[in-house]
Amino acid sequence: MVELIPRCTNPMSLKRRHFLRLAGATTGFGLAACVQRLATSETTPTPVAAASTPVVSPSIATPSPVNDQLRAQGIPNPPRGDVRLVVISDINGPYGSTTYGAQVSRAIALIPSWQPDLVIASGDMVAGQDRNLTRARIQEMWAGFDRAIAAPLRQANLPLGFTLGNHDASRAVGVNGLIYRQERELAAAYWNNPAHTPDVEFVDRYKFPFYYTFQRAGVFFLIWDATSGLPMPAEDLAWVERSLASPTAQAAQLRIVVGHLPLYAIAQERDKVGEVLDNADELRSLLERHNVHTYISGHHHAFYPGHRGRLELLHAGAMGDGPRLLLTGNLPRIKTLTVVDITLETATTVYTTYDVETMRVLDQNQLPRLVVGHNGVVLRRDLEWNELTPQEQASCIQRHSAAICQA
């Protein structure tokens, strides 16, 4: 059963988002997913219901039939959008690990069954950020990543768009410059090896694999180096501005930016300077100015589908070690994977997020309605400020000013 909230026809008077609720009557999983707002350049975005009939993008060939592991294992497969992404993040194990957990291996094996057009990895693919790691060990870690993650995706003909994380190639600096220079050099060497270059349609390789752009089926992707909370260099921010303003980016039907650290804190043990990007509000304004639809991040090891202003914020949960609790609410620690279905005509997205331990689908209505951190607030993406209760609003205003909370 699909329950749709009716579409509002006046784009100037409506709320930003509505939900598409997929009732899990046949699966028992309580399947629920949010419908994203309509992304427009000059008007208040119009919420629209996603089509109940899956649409296959004419620009993407339907993958060859695969063994339907999802059905065989009783795992829900949501209606397909024009473009489908599978988002994975923080898949690594303990420092120096060259292998991956059973849940990671299982999830990677399942990904072809969702038949995505693209897999997005939002960082921490290996277990570095340790100055005691030898050059040989770091190379072994990337070889392990290739065996367990990259090679299976290549064999399934699935393009991989990725951003580097702090455990892959941190740009943290000390008195002598880059602390993890060797890790950054070896990460770059792995990705620049022709055998490992991701099968994406590059627009600009700029400082690949740290900064680059590519496009896929009407969607423009920009990847930036969010491996540290330090301010991004001015020349790189200028490149971001130019890239997002380019004719190619602006002609795309949707724009998505991917980086490891989020803009705003959402998880326990990560609510502090250095665990989010510096100057978050300024970066958000930059993305909004160029009508970026969604910023996908990892690092906080907690799934939260939020928004701040006009920018959607997909905080991808960890699939590997160390899932964390959100700053608000009482949900348990959960390892997650998210399927994102995009409807191009209306610029809407639907998230279906799985607990990778059980492969049950999360009910996003059970997530907190807002999360207040040290550098701002993130609202759940179906809600606006004026839809919060006075008590919910007060939880932000007590920590920040009303102007910051309502921005």
Side-chain angles (χ1 to χ4, degrees):
M1 180 181 71
V2 177
E3 176 189 357
L4 295 178
I5 295 178
R7 177 176 179 172
C8 176
T9 58
N10 181 354
M12 299 305 292
S13 62
L14 44 79
K15 303 295 183 186
R16 264 177 107 256
R17 297 166 189 79
H18 290 308
F19 275 117
L20 167 68
R21 294 185 179 88
L22 304 177
T26 59
T27 66
F29 286 115
L31 181 61
C34 305
V35 168
Q36 193 76 313
R37 48 87 170 160
L38 172 65
T40 62
S41 59
E42 298 180 332
T43 63
T44 302
T46 308
V48 280
S52 58
T53 302
V55 180
V56 177
S57 170
S59 60
I60 297 294
T62 303
S64 300
V66 296
N67 178 31
D68 192 354
Q69 298 182 66
L70 302 179
R71 182 177 301 172
Q73 298 182 42
I75 300 170
N77 190 2
R80 199 185 195 285
D82 299 324
V83 183
R84 171 169 284 187
L85 314 177
V86 170
V87 179
I88 62 177
S89 190
D90 298 274
I91 63 176
N92 55 347
Y95 289 105
S97 297
T98 59
T99 58
Y100 294 81
Q103 77 283 349
V104 173
S105 298
R106 182 190 182 200
I108 295 300
L110 283 172
I111 285 176
S113 293
W114 280 293
Q115 297 188 321
D117 300 303
L118 177 70
V119 177
I120 292 289
S122 54
D124 281 2
M125 294 168 280
V126 299
Q129 201 175 22
D130 183 346
R131 283 180 279 189
N132 293 319
L133 292 171
T134 65
R135 182 181 186 86
R137 187 63 172 185
I138 297 168
Q139 291 172 324
E140 289 172 8
M141 288 157 51
W142 281 109
F145 167 80
D146 196 70
R147 286 191 302 272
I149 312 298
L153 295 178
R154 287 197 302 268
Q155 290 162 9
N157 296 315
L158 294 177
L160 173 62
F162 68 92
T163 191
L164 294 167
N166 57 295
H167 288 289
D168 305 317
S170 172
R171 64 184 179 92
V173 296
V175 293
N176 296 316
L178 288 168
I179 298 172
Y180 302 101
R181 184 181 302 277
Q182 179 173 251
E183 291 186 10
R184 288 174 69 84
E185 290 173 351
L186 293 176
Y190 170 83
W191 288 108
N192 280 293
N193 181 333
H196 303 150
T197 298
D199 183 22
V200 297
E201 183 183 345
F202 287 101
V203 176
D204 183 356
R205 291 176 68 103
Y206 185 52
K207 295 182 180 179
F208 179 83
F210 303 100
Y211 295 88
Y212 66 102
T213 59
F214 66 94
Q215 56 188 348
R216 180 73 170 167
V219 183
F220 180 89
F221 294 87
L222 182 144
I223 309 298
W224 66 21
D225 185 351
T227 60
S228 163
L230 294 172
M232 290 186 192
E235 66 176 15
D236 297 327
L237 278 178
W239 172 82
V240 170
E241 188 97 44
R242 290 194 307 272
S243 297
L244 292 176
S246 69
T248 301
Q250 290 303 307
Q253 291 172 274
L254 206 73
R255 285 156 294 283
I256 293 175
V257 173
V258 187
H260 186 57
L261 267 65
L263 295 175
Y264 302 97
I266 57 108
Q268 295 181 28
E269 305 169 75
R270 289 287 187 260
D271 187 19
K272 54 189 174 182
V273 173
E275 304 293 353
V276 295
L277 289 175
D278 185 70
N279 297 325
D281 288 337
E282 289 83 353
L283 291 175
R284 175 170 61 87
S285 294
L286 184 160
L287 301 187
E288 288 179 328
R289 188 161 62 248
H290 296 293
N291 298 300
V292 171
H293 187 281
T294 302
Y295 177 55
I296 299 175
S297 63
H299 188 61
H300 279 216
H301 292 210
F303 168 69
Y304 192 71
H307 80 94
R308 182 86 170 119
R310 293 187 291 109
L311 181 66
E312 302 297 331
L313 302 167
L314 170 52
H315 304 87
M319 206 163 75
D321 283 6
R324 290 189 171 86
L325 300 173
L326 291 166
L327 291 172
T328 306
N330 55 6
L331 293 179
R333 301 171 190 268
I334 303 173
K335 298 180 180 182
T336 62
L337 168 153
T338 296
V339 173
V340 179
D341 284 293
I342 302 171
T343 301
L344 292 172
E345 182 179 3
T346 55
T348 58
T349 61
V350 176
Y351 299 165
T352 306
T353 298
Y354 299 81
D355 176 339
V356 296
E357 301 279 11
T358 64
M359 296 313 298
R360 292 178 177 269
V361 176
L362 305 186
D363 182 347
Q364 296 181 45
N365 286 309
Q366 295 179 2
L367 294 168
R369 288 159 57 88
L370 78 165
V371 177
V372 182
H374 75 278
N375 69 329
V377 58
V378 177
L379 274 63
R380 205 175 66 195
R381 70 177 188 149
D382 59 306
L383 297 169
E384 293 295 340
W385 175 258
N386 59 10
E387 297 175 290
L388 301 178
T389 67
Q391 293 79 10
E392 289 169 335
Q393 292 181 359
S395 70
C396 181
I397 294 172
Q398 289 168 1
R399 191 165 185 183
H400 304 288
S401 69
I404 289 176
C405 292
Q406 297 177 52

